[in-house]
Amino acid sequence: MGARELGLPAKTPAEGFPDRVTIWEVGPRDGLQNEKEIVPVEVKLEFLDRLADAGLTTLEATSFVHPKWVPQLADAEQLLEGLKQRDGVRYPVLVPNERGLDRAFAAGVKHIAIFASATETFAQRNLNSTLDTQFGMFEPVVSRATEGDIEVRGYLSMCFGDPWEGPVPASQVVAAGKRLLDMGCSQLSLGDTIGVATAGQVEAVLGGFTAAGVPMSALAVHFHDTYGQALANTLVALRCGVSTVDSSAGGLGGCPYAESATGNLATEDLVWTLDGLGIEHGADLDKLVETSAWMAGKLGRPSASRVVNALAR
Amino acid sequence: MGARELGLPAKTPAEGFPDRVTIWEVGPRDGLQNEKEIVPVEVKLEFLDRLADAGLTTLEATSFVHPKWVPQLADAEQLLEGLKQRDGVRYPVLVPNERGLDRAFAAGVKHIAIFASATETFAQRNLNSTLDTQFGMFEPVVSRATEGDIEVRGYLSMCFGDPWEGPVPASQVVAAGKRLLDMGCSQLSLGDTIGVATAGQVEAVLGGFTAAGVPMSALAVHFHDTYGQALANTLVALRCGVSTVDSSAGGLGGCPYAESATGNLATEDLVWTLDGLGIEHGADLDKLVETSAWMAGKLGRPSASRVVNALAR
């Protein structure tokens, strides 16, 4: 751990970045939902506890998707019962529909996320729906949630490329995103579900939202590292003024519906960048690395995070 | 290969990037010199031939470092004899000292690279030298080479962090780099040998060279992906106006003197970015992926390139 002991990377702030970034940790949900082997609830609880202990303040804990579709998270209620929630930490839960919202209310959840598609084909494949009926389905979820004092994040997937449709026009993404925000979502997370985006696309989509009057503070970015672009795209988004970034401890995760979609941006690799730029985030890199190395042991394979592999030796 | 068949990524140019980038492929030298098993010369020759066939125009072929230090490249003369050089392709060779230069002349090499340190400690550890004596040693190499119509590239290592000294001041890097350029090097490649750099440091170092009157066209960047930062840093450098990027097919390589230094930026991951931005580079991604998948088979382990792993399935 020579490099780390020497306090690298150097803090050399560059212009045009936010002072503080919120890391939206998706490993326990987006990561573990893609594991072939079902992770025991005790391990999930320890994972969440360690991530909170490492200073992360937003931990997407689980999902109320029907267990038939995501058996990996069938223990959602049991997990939430066992969860020792900490002050100052949010534990959002993914909710697919009104039935899921009922479960969220029953479990006393305070933050939920819904998962919409920016493209017709993915709406069809993932939700067995159309774009229009998808939004129709989400409207009562969002209105009932907000009336019940539950904050709602809207995920928008396939914002840059779609495996069936190819590149997605920025105008289409902005139109779909606006519908989620207008519906009452407090934040919109723009997902590159298949990891194909590059810098120009990121700027085009974010520029489209700006032109439509959406402030960057209402947006988050969610990049997958399938083609190695996740961190570079995140850096571009930060420079555009985005200050909430989705990432997954150890780079866990993927998309079960897109064969070549590998993991999320690794939280540790993001933290390395933020540390180097002197951007506040509140997380402790050493604790994150320990946690991800421990989880890699539980999953029986090396971490996908370069930082974890470099520092956990 | 769904994503690739759909022609992703979308070409969405962003402002402030060069129109064309020269990829300086270092896999055959910087990659293979770090392999535990010595790769047979026939495999190296096929590797070089495939890379040229994929459209790369600069292939750092081998090294005249003494075989005692780098036995992996002890076959340099044999390799150069067997090499079918193509028109329009450069095959630079690393030369450590005057003895290496003699070998380069004898082999009819037209492009060489020298390898200097930006820090005292690495000069001591790697070259058993001081910074001053290092430059004294390189002076006759560069002058004799240029007088003999050999073009010289100067590598400058540890430009951002040093495993013994920590962060390296930009002014120190600029001073060392200027000495190599003043000596007669036609290009300077700034190396993040241990992969620790982040965006602010990249801008600070490149800004230092600009302030010292060095045009970006005289510079190249050489990032290692130890902490996952290589592509993000490259993107920052491109935006600063750098238009020569070092990378390694399949992400081969590392630094034998820095334990945690893993591979170079993967050429395929770089090409994905350049393609997305509509930046010309002349390489054929599919052929690169095939080549790196083939080499991964020869080396008996998966490629370090995300693009190779996504597309070679």
Side-chain angles (χ1 to χ4, degrees):
Chain A
M1 297 191 42
R4 187 67 185 156
E5 279 157 14
L6 279 157
L8 295 165
K11 284 206 190 336
T12 310
E15 280 184 31
F17 287 104
D19 296 330
R20 187 172 179 89
V21 159
T22 298
I23 299 172
W24 189 291
E25 170 63 44
V26 299
R29 196 275 303 167
D30 197 9
L32 298 185
Q33 80 174 17
N34 289 294
E35 288 300 317
K36 276 186 191 157
E37 302 282 323
I38 295 179
V39 175
V41 70
E42 299 77 21
V43 174
K44 290 176 183 169
L45 286 167
E46 183 171 348
F47 189 37
L48 284 159
D49 205 50
R50 281 171 168 256
L51 293 171
D53 198 52
L56 294 172
T57 55
T58 308
L59 303 174
E60 197 162 298
T62 185
S63 163
F64 287 131
V65 170
H66 194 287
K68 190 170 96 182
W69 305 116
V70 184
Q72 292 90 339
L73 304 181
D75 57 9
E77 274 85 359
Q78 198 189 341
L79 179 119
L80 290 168
E81 264 171 43
L83 186 62
K84 281 172 278 176
Q85 299 206 14
R86 301 195 187 198
D87 288 345
V89 179
R90 295 180 291 184
Y91 299 89
V93 177
L94 192 77
V95 157
N97 49 32
E98 285 199 87
R99 174 74 193 94
L101 182 64
D102 294 337
R103 292 171 66 191
F105 274 119
V109 164
K110 289 288 160 214
H111 299 87
I112 65 166
I114 59 174
F115 188 85
S117 171
T119 68
E120 281 292 353
T121 316
F122 191 60
Q124 178 62 42
R125 300 270 181 144
N126 189 37
L127 306 167
N128 197 21
S129 173
T130 65
L131 273 186
D132 266 340
T133 54
Q134 153 188 278
F135 291 117
M137 182 186 80
F138 285 133
E139 258 163 29
V141 175
V142 178
S143 62
R144 282 183 53 207
T146 50
E147 281 160 23
D149 278 334
I150 291 180
E151 204 173 333
V152 186
R153 161 185 254 214
Y155 279 107
L156 192 61
S157 56
M158 305 293 177
C159 287
F160 303 94
D162 174 291
W164 303 280
E165 299 185 14
V168 181
S171 56
Q172 181 177 330
V173 178
V174 173
K178 280 276 284 178
R179 288 185 73 166
L180 291 172
L181 289 169
D182 291 346
M183 214 177 269
C185 289
S186 61
Q187 187 178 62
L188 185 65
S189 173
L190 304 170
D192 183 15
T193 317
I194 57 171
V196 296
T198 48
Q201 284 178 288
V202 176
E203 292 185 358
V205 168
L206 294 176
F209 278 103
T210 300
V214 176
M216 290 298 108
S217 58
L219 300 180
V221 287
H222 182 109
F223 290 113
H224 283 251
D225 207 30
T226 320
Y227 299 92
Q229 311 292 312
L231 188 62
N233 288 336
T234 299
L235 198 70
V236 170
L238 291 175
R239 208 146 219 171
C240 290
V242 170
S243 61
T244 300
V245 178
D246 296 7
S247 65
S248 165
L252 292 171
C255 172
Y257 305 98
E259 200 190 327
S260 68
T262 48
N264 289 278
L265 171 63
T267 304
E268 295 84 359
D269 299 8
L270 169 64
V271 165
W272 189 275
T273 298
L274 299 178
D275 279 350
L277 289 166
I279 298 172
E280 282 184 48
H281 53 76
D284 178 319
L285 183 57
D286 288 333
K287 287 187 177 178
L288 286 174
V289 167
E290 275 171 36
T291 301
S292 290
W294 164 82
M295 182 52 95
K298 295 285 177 196
L299 298 173
R301 58 161 196 274
S303 170
S305 159
R306 310 277 185 180
V307 169
V308 171
N309 290 322
L311 295 184
R313 282 175 191 175
Chain B
M1 298 198 36
R4 188 67 187 154
E5 281 159 12
L6 279 158
L8 293 167
K11 281 201 192 340
T12 310
E15 279 184 32
F17 287 104
D19 296 332
R20 185 174 181 88
V21 159
T22 299
I23 299 172
W24 190 290
E25 170 62 43
V26 299
R29 196 275 303 168
D30 197 9
L32 298 185
Q33 80 174 17
N34 290 293
E35 287 302 315
K36 277 186 191 156
E37 302 281 323
I38 295 178
V39 175
V41 69
E42 299 77 21
V43 174
K44 291 176 182 170
L45 286 167
E46 182 171 349
F47 189 36
L48 284 159
D49 205 52
R50 281 170 170 257
L51 293 171
D53 198 52
L56 294 173
T57 55
T58 308
L59 303 174
E60 196 163 299
T62 185
S63 163
F64 286 131
V65 170
H66 194 287
K68 192 171 96 184
W69 304 115
V70 185
Q72 292 90 339
L73 304 181
D75 58 8
E77 273 84 359
Q78 198 190 343
L79 179 121
L80 291 167
E81 264 171 43
L83 187 62
K84 280 172 278 174
Q85 299 206 14
R86 302 195 187 198
D87 288 345
V89 180
R90 294 180 291 184
Y91 298 89
V93 177
L94 191 76
V95 158
N97 49 31
E98 285 198 85
R99 174 74 193 92
L101 181 65
D102 294 337
R103 292 171 67 190
F105 273 121
V109 164
K110 289 288 160 213
H111 299 87
I112 66 167
I114 59 174
F115 187 83
S117 171
T119 68
E120 282 292 352
T121 316
F122 191 59
Q124 177 62 40
R125 301 269 182 146
N126 190 36
L127 306 167
N128 196 22
S129 173
T130 65
L131 272 186
D132 266 341
T133 54
Q134 154 189 279
F135 291 119
M137 183 185 80
F138 286 133
E139 259 163 29
V141 176
V142 178
S143 61
R144 282 183 53 205
T146 51
E147 280 160 24
D149 278 334
I150 291 180
E151 204 172 334
V152 186
R153 157 183 258 216
Y155 278 107
L156 192 61
S157 55
M158 305 294 176
C159 288
F160 303 95
D162 172 293
W164 302 280
E165 299 185 15
V168 181
S171 56
Q172 181 178 331
V173 178
V174 173
K178 279 276 284 178
R179 287 184 72 166
L180 291 173
L181 290 169
D182 291 346
M183 214 178 271
C185 288
S186 59
Q187 187 177 64
L188 185 64
S189 173
L190 305 171
D192 183 14
T193 317
I194 57 171
V196 296
T198 48
Q201 285 178 288
V202 176
E203 291 185 357
V205 168
L206 294 175
F209 278 103
T210 300
V214 176
M216 289 298 108
S217 59
L219 300 180
V221 287
H222 182 109
F223 291 113
H224 283 251
D225 207 30
T226 320
Y227 299 91
Q229 312 292 313
L231 189 63
N233 287 335
T234 299
L235 199 70
V236 170
L238 291 175
R239 208 146 220 172
C240 289
V242 170
S243 61
T244 300
V245 178
D246 297 6
S247 64
S248 165
L252 293 172
C255 172
Y257 306 99
E259 200 192 326
S260 69
T262 48
N264 290 278
L265 170 65
T267 304
E268 295 84 358
D269 299 9
L270 169 64
V271 165
W272 189 274
T273 299
L274 299 177
D275 279 351
L277 288 165
I279 297 173
E280 283 184 45
H281 53 78
D284 178 318
L285 183 57
D286 288 332
K287 286 188 178 178
L288 285 174
V289 168
E290 274 172 38
T291 300
S292 290
W294 164 82
M295 182 52 93
K298 295 286 177 193
L299 298 173
R301 59 161 196 274
S303 170
S305 160
R306 310 276 185 181
V307 169
V308 170
N309 290 323
L311 294 184
R313 283 175 190 174

